[in-house]
Amino acid sequence: MLDFLGNLERTNLCGTLRAADAGKPVVLMGWVNRRRDHGNLIFLDLRDRSGIAQIVLDKELTPDGHLKGEQVRPEYVVAAVGKVRLRAQDAINPKMPTGEIEIEATQLLVLNDTRQAPFSPSEDAIQNEETRLKYRYIDLRRPEMQRNFRLRHDITLAIRESLSEQGFLEIETPILTKSTPEGARDFLVPSRVHPGEFYALPQSPQIFKQILMISGFDRYFQIARCFRDEDLRADRQLEFTQVDLEMSFPRQESVFAVVENFLKAAFAAAGVTLPTPFPKITYDDSMRRFGSDKPDLRLPGLTDVRPAFADAALATLQIDPALPVVAFRIPNVGELSRKEREDNHPMFDTKKGAKFIDDFKRLAKSFPDSAAKVRELTGAAEADFVIVVAGDPAHPVKASDTKFEGRLSEREINVYSAAGNFRTELAKKYADRHKAFHVTEKVVVEAHPHGASDPIDGSTAFHPIWIVDFPMFEYDLPSGKWMPAHHPFTAPHEHDMANLVSDPASVRANCYDLAMNGLELGSGSIRIHRKDIQQQIFASLGISDEEARARFGFFLDALEYGTPPHGGIALGLDRIVMLLAGAPNMREVVAFPKTAKALDLMAEAPTNVSDQQLKELHIRVALKS
Ligand code: ASP
């Protein structure tokens, strides 16, 4: 028989009681985490979102409560009425925050029972993630998940407060709208009222936030949901949350300062200090030094080892002398057998016109000086695994040959990124040996959110870095055209504006990315605020006037009505939380995520809909057989 709640009011949260509360009458409510039956005494570990308190049901004190205690099972929902008392010395549990006390119950109400759950929230996450996602409500009861979402709340709140203090207004923009050109596929919503017409879900609030600047709001932000129909990866979801902002009359540095301020606040909310200002690196330098535009600075980068090889050596090794020759080292991997090295080979991207040398013994046999010099230049210790990556003349990559003074060519970028990707993959694989990531894990585990104690120094664990001066265009071989590397509202560098049509490859974009520990946290740009330049950009992208009008006509119109110079950025909130929660993937910090196959296993979405619904929407489904 279940009890009614009646007028009973909860007085405390389980996990907050301490020795100083001894003697207090309390009413606690929650789930039975565990039950231990010692005959005349039954112990219930009662759990709510704050933690666990031990309830004692003494047959003598509460025969009725004891009887109910015999019937309750884990995950029953109960209310315990009683008094806090100190535990006997030998019963103190130093591992529990409430381990010094227990509740001497005078009454137990059983508010609800439960079906046999497929797993217990009192234990660690089960391996089968599909079951976790199907029964997400039970999975979310686990203390680790409760902690992740509390953290997410604290971080979001800190960001909101920081942005508000910095003069930003939170303004909502539509979910049912028109396509935004962020480069992904749109989710479409058919209109019932306008047969055959569709809304698109926003890939970002980009156009609206720019219009808000035209409207004079000066500083806008939104914790915005964005929708992109893309294939899912570990750090992607079909819908995700951005900290999206835009400001009028900014320089790049103004945007950087705003972001650094709110990230500092977000990290502080997680109990970690983040030193500002963040370092800055150009795209070309980032490629040169890390082979990536989202470098992980926790491991050594790439070293130019061209000087270690005489021309004859390069010829014998069949290395392209005109392209970069770089090396990187993964610390402390130790000696690898041939088999172990071969197992790594599929991680090397062979489509970048590059090759690698990972057999140093062999290299040392034919070119002892080169091998020694490479190790010297990279600063490799005995146990470090060193790999040389260089251009492969046998498999040249198809790329534009345009090369500008002081800038990297596409072929060079390809070699660097082959090295950078290999470095990232090997770093993941040998994480337990080089231990460079453990610093971050340790800080996250030791940090105390909610300002409980002093913040932990995050300077060795988190490495934010701004990437600037991206190329404005990328060469698209199939079409032979220079395509925009960013969304088409990104302003070119003022200095490069004159080359827009004549030398697109030389034009740098006035845009920036923020990377941290190998993740792209966000990107933004100073925008085009003049219609003539916006039209030029559309033209250079091969977007005709008609197409531009059809897709962004309203925006082009708006640009003509006194648009201030403006710029902004969007940061992935899910990724920020993921980093600070030390979560292995985004699903751990999204309450109801989708699987890699884009399914919501709990709600069972997507699904078929009724013929009637389709009819109303003027839609007929034609499945490919
Ligand atoms: N809308 C851009 C994005 O979603 C961010 C920005 O440029 O502000 O990546």
Side-chain angles (χ1 to χ4, degrees), residues 182 203-204 206 209 228 242 244-246 487 523-525 527 568-570:
E182 296 288 357
Q203 292 186 30
S204 81
Q206 186 63 34
K209 68 174 173 175
R228 297 185 192 175
Q242 284 187 342
D244 188 48
L245 65 89
E246 195 75 6
H487 60 62
S523 62
S525 57
R527 324 294 182 188
I569 192 165

Side-chain angles (χ1 to χ4, degrees), residues 190-207:
S191 164
R192 177 180 58 81
V193 187
H194 300 282
E197 297 184 2
F198 294 80
Y199 301 97
L201 303 184
Q203 292 186 30
S204 81
Q206 186 63 34
I207 296 180

Side-chain angles (χ1 to χ4, degrees), residues 249-281:
F249 313 110
R251 293 174 308 121
Q252 271 193 9
E253 290 70 25
S254 337
V255 179
F256 293 179
V258 166
V259 171
E260 287 169 7
N261 282 337
F262 85 64
L263 272 186
K264 212 178 171 67
F267 273 65
V272 179
T273 60
L274 192 64
T276 52
F278 303 162
K280 203 162 77 174
I281 189 172

